[in-house]
Amino acid sequence: MTVHSALPGHAGPVGTVHLVGAGPGDPDLLTLRAARLVMGAALIVHDGLVDPRILEMARPSARLVSVAKSRSRHTMKQEDINALLVAEALGGQDVVRLKGGDPFVFGRGGEEAEACRAAGVPVQVVPGISSALGASAASQIPLTHRDHASIVSFVAGQCKGLSEQDWSGLAGKGRTLVIFMGLATAAQISEKLMGDGLAPDVPVAVIEKATRSDMRVLRAPLAGLAELVADHAVKSPALIVIGEVARIEGGLADHTIRAMALEAEQ
Ligand code: SAH
């Protein structure tokens, strides 16, 4: 829907920017609202974590713009992405901005919403299933459990600021710590936590490509985290879950989960 709501001086209709969560991968985990928006969109601006099967749901005539980011390779800077969304909307175009997981969980959706509001562009946010929740469900590792954890923290594990951030108390008895973007810093993460007094044998699960057909769940004690990541050549995207819950096996061996997912795929 186009409305006239840009800043004074702007002539013509203004499009809406929809910040849409695409979930953790499996297209079945899209919300109905997200699916409707994807199927109706004329313009989709998406990042690299969005599963190709979701993009295939778009109309053949839809314009798909990838603004994929990775740790080492930035195809588009955040300010350029913001500027693109604003420019398209001010040109009268509704935009579906598709982001992996939930747009407001480490998705920089907050910055994009601010940029749009500052330009007088209306913004709608559609929540998505964050990879933390998708990974928990797919691995059957509950993030809370009456016997093990009643506090959950979501933390970004990139290098930037890792050494200065105060993580004390985030992990330990009764707690689950979920680390996003922590693969490259796995060694620093375990050292930091053990330096804060966490026991080296606290269970850790690494969940790679959660909800996708090639998902893997790998486990080690905290002291063995870096080795686990290296030995199994774990690739992004992956989450690190630290705490007693990471011991829970969900009744199925991890390789069985993987085999089932592959079967469902065929
Ligand atoms: N907004 C997203 C997070 C974006 S940050 C969300 O709510 O999930 C990118 C990080 O998310 C990745 O480095 C990884 O840690 C995690 N991630 C995203 N999708 C994932 C998946 N399918 N499996 C495991 N981790 C995933």
Side-chain angles (χ1 to χ4, degrees):
M1 187 187 62
T2 46
V3 290
H4 295 265
S5 76
L7 299 176
H10 180 82
V14 176
T16 296
V17 171
H18 299 269
L19 298 178
V20 181
D26 183 345
D28 277 358
L29 295 176
L30 278 178
T31 63
L32 278 178
R33 191 179 296 174
R36 280 194 199 112
L37 282 164
V38 169
M39 290 189 290
L43 171 61
I44 297 177
V45 177
H46 64 93
D47 55 37
L49 282 178
V50 176
D51 193 285
R53 290 169 296 172
I54 292 174
L55 299 174
E56 281 163 19
M57 291 165 57
R59 296 195 303 221
S61 61
R63 195 155 46 104
L64 302 185
V65 179
S66 167
V67 292
K69 276 190 225 158
S70 77
R71 225 170 56 83
S72 49
R73 171 184 53 90
H74 278 251
T75 34
M76 214 190 252
K77 289 206 211 87
Q78 187 62 48
E79 33 302 10
D80 297 337
I81 298 172
N82 298 352
L84 170 71
L85 301 178
V86 166
E88 289 288 349
L90 290 181
Q93 178 68 66
D94 285 335
V95 185
V96 171
R97 170 71 175 112
L98 258 189
K99 292 169 163 293
D102 181 87
F104 279 0
V105 177
F106 301 126
R108 301 189 75 169
E111 292 166 51
E112 293 175 11
E114 273 164 33
C116 290
R117 285 194 299 263
V121 168
V123 184
Q124 302 259 326
V125 182
V126 181
I129 295 180
S130 173
S131 58
L133 305 181
S136 162
S139 64
Q140 299 194 17
I141 295 174
L143 298 183
T144 69
H145 189 294
R146 283 197 8 141
D147 298 334
H148 306 298
S150 58
I151 297 177
V152 186
S153 304
F154 290 174
V155 165
Q158 301 122 309
C159 307
K160 213 172 123 200
L162 186 65
S163 50
E164 291 103 68
Q165 282 166 14
D166 182 9
W167 285 15
S168 50
L170 290 183
K173 199 169 164 37
R175 291 162 193 251
T176 304
L177 179 59
V178 182
I179 301 176
F180 292 68
M181 300 171 280
L183 276 187
T185 50
Q188 288 108 293
I189 286 170
S190 53
E191 274 161 31
K192 183 179 175 75
L193 289 169
M194 290 188 293
D196 279 344
L198 205 61
D201 62 351
V202 167
V204 176
V206 175
I207 307 166
E208 180 193 48
K209 298 185 185 152
T211 80
R212 298 180 191 202
S213 56
D214 48 356
M215 161 173 150
R216 289 194 295 172
V217 183
L218 305 158
R219 297 171 210 255
L222 180 58
L225 171 61
E227 217 178 321
L228 182 80
V229 168
D231 287 356
H232 294 268
V234 180
K235 299 270 174 345
S236 187
L239 288 162
I240 302 170
V241 178
I242 301 176
E244 274 307 311
V245 293
R247 218 189 276 285
I248 297 172
E249 292 264 355
L252 287 176
D254 295 332
H255 69 269
T256 317
I257 296 173
R258 186 162 170 251
M260 283 172 60
L262 283 170
E263 242 165 59
E265 192 68 1
Q266 282 152 13

